[in-house]
Amino acid sequence: MQKSKEGFTTLTKAEMDIMNILWELNEPACVRQVIDHCKEPKPAYTTIATFLKILLKKGFVSQERREDGGKSLFYFPLITKDEYTRRVMEDVKDNFFGGSAKSLVNFFCREEKLTVDEVRELLQMIGGEE
């Protein structure tokens, strides 16, 4: 478990995979439904149940029982994907780029070898000038 300087906990790869499924489903899901949306080979029921309990403990999901009185617990995200992404990127900006968004963008432009046309396209997407 990784924590940022402000106490924000980041997700492991496996936890992120489960959160992506919950975000995609956009409705509370039981363990079996999460497994149905996992890539092959499908993980064991207990594996997914354990990860959902971890996500519950970390505060990323909550759980509920259905009104029909069934035994299954249904899990749903307590944070949107956009909010999680914003927090992670803010963490990256602060921890790797001294809080400078300009340095972060410069790094990705260089690392991804963006062309001038691609940068112009990005500027247009955000409403900037060429």
Side-chain angles (χ1 to χ4, degrees):
M1 174 167 42
Q2 305 248 333
K3 286 198 175 193
S4 72
K5 64 182 179 182
E6 296 161 10
F8 173 71
T9 302
T10 56
L11 300 171
T12 65
K13 168 76 169 99
E15 293 165 351
M16 190 70 199
D17 290 344
I18 292 170
M19 287 300 295
N20 277 324
I21 290 169
L22 293 173
W23 286 320
E24 183 181 309
L25 290 173
N26 202 28
E27 64 183 13
C30 65
V31 174
R32 187 67 51 210
Q33 290 169 307
V34 173
I35 292 169
D36 288 346
H37 286 85
C38 289
K39 295 176 183 170
E40 293 290 344
K42 303 285 187 188
Y45 184 97
T46 53
T47 301
I48 297 302
T50 299
F51 277 115
L52 285 165
K53 286 177 188 170
I54 291 168
L55 289 166
L56 182 69
K57 185 177 179 183
K58 286 184 174 184
F60 284 96
V61 302
S62 188
Q63 63 185 11
E64 66 184 15
R65 289 205 191 274
R66 290 285 162 97
E67 293 177 14
D68 63 11
K71 292 182 180 180
S72 293
L73 289 170
F74 288 79
Y75 297 85
F76 56 93
L78 292 175
I79 185 172
T80 65
K81 188 172 186 173
D82 284 347
E83 177 63 16
Y84 180 75
T85 302
R86 185 194 65 73
R87 287 184 181 183
V88 169
M89 292 308 295
E90 191 170 302
D91 230 24
V92 169
K93 179 185 73 168
D94 292 344
N95 291 319
F96 294 95
F97 300 99
S100 169
K102 183 177 175 181
S103 294
L104 179 138
V105 171
N106 179 45
F107 172 82
F108 282 106
C109 286
R110 282 185 292 114
E111 285 299 307
E112 295 299 317
K113 297 176 177 57
L114 296 182
T115 66
V116 172
D117 288 340
E118 289 171 322
V119 172
R120 283 191 185 117
E121 185 179 331
L122 285 171
L123 286 170
Q124 289 175 349
M125 289 171 66
I126 61 172
E129 299 293 321
E130 283 193 47

